[in-house]
Amino acid sequence: MIRRTLAATTGLAAALALALLPAVAASAHDYLVSSDPAADSTVTAPPSTVTLTFNDRVLDLAGDGSSTLLTVTGPDAAARHFETGCATVADRNVSAPVALGGAGSYTVTYQIVSADGHTVSNSYAFAYQPPAGAVAAAGSEKTACGAAAGGSATESPAASDPATPEATAGGSQPLVTASTPEPTAAADDSGLGLVIGIAVAIVVLAIIGVVIVVLTARRKPPIAADAAAATDADARPTDGPGTPPSS
């Protein structure tokens, strides 16, 4: 009886855990695992491409990379674009050709569709210190990819906006294009944490149930054995008047 109860409880816990696994996997967005150039690194040779690698497959909804944005802007507070082509998607990798300008800090901003169908965007910076004699690309005011490919207008951010970069060396505010992805959290972990918490609670409750069943079974008096012994005692003949003693 105890073995059957333990097996049933364990099977229930395992079934519930397996049922929650797809929900856990579905709630996890793609996140960046490596990049070239790497975040916060210093590049001393002119790079020809920027490559991002994610933990899971990146979806290419249109089949031509147009659902993915990868921009490289700089240097420093300037907002000129130095990607020379649109992003391409190859499984977990997203890349774009680049030709950097002068020395300084450059910002890589990306926007992808993760394997769970959600849009994920973020950015990181790296430093560029070109060797002597390296040709500095002029860059462009906006990217030719994404929404800007259709000829979208640009707008100047308000000077009071705390997220607005400092003015450029020429004194004008940097341009923000409609195709520039807004950095967001790389992944929303609130749903994932809730699912994991529910799964842990179910497993804990199942273990508590098993412990209670075992303890209860151990403390039960052997009722059937006692009843059988009492029945046998009642059935035995007793010595009394006129009854010959048993040999």
Side-chain angles (χ1 to χ4, degrees):
M1 179 65 182
I2 297 177
R3 291 181 178 178
R4 291 181 181 178
T5 305
L6 289 174
T9 307
T10 304
L12 177 61
L16 291 173
L18 290 175
L20 287 172
L21 282 179
V24 173
S27 62
H29 303 331
D30 289 6
Y31 57 86
L32 187 66
V33 294
S34 65
S35 61
D36 183 18
D40 302 322
S41 65
T42 298
V43 178
T44 56
S48 59
T49 59
V50 169
T51 302
L52 310 179
T53 301
F54 295 85
N55 69 306
D56 204 348
R57 183 169 59 95
V58 176
L59 298 183
D60 186 4
L61 300 181
D64 56 3
S66 60
S67 60
T68 303
L69 288 175
L70 178 55
T71 63
V72 181
T73 56
D76 300 324
R80 296 190 68 80
H81 287 261
F82 291 92
E83 68 277 4
T84 58
C86 298
T88 57
V89 178
D91 195 32
R92 299 188 300 121
N93 299 318
V94 176
S95 60
V98 297
L100 299 184
S105 176
Y106 286 82
T107 300
V108 176
T109 305
Y110 61 86
Q111 179 173 294
I112 66 164
V113 180
S114 63
D116 63 358
H118 289 83
T119 300
V120 175
S121 60
N122 213 328
S123 62
Y124 71 90
F126 68 92
Y128 177 49
Q129 294 181 357
V135 178
S140 59
E141 291 186 353
K142 63 180 182 179
T143 182
C145 305
S152 63
T154 61
E155 61 181 17
S156 297
S160 60
D161 187 352
T164 300
E166 296 296 327
T168 61
S172 61
Q173 291 289 337
L175 295 174
V176 176
T177 68
S179 64
T180 303
E182 295 289 338
T184 61
D188 182 6
D189 294 333
S190 59
L192 177 61
L194 178 61
V195 174
I196 293 177
I198 294 174
V200 171
I202 291 174
V203 173
V204 171
L205 290 175
I207 294 174
I208 293 174
V210 171
V211 173
I212 291 175
V213 170
V214 171
L215 293 178
T216 303
R218 287 181 177 177
R219 292 178 180 177
K220 277 186 177 181
I223 299 176
D226 292 348
T231 303
D232 292 342
D234 293 340
R236 289 178 182 175
T238 57
D239 296 335
T243 302
S246 58
S247 56

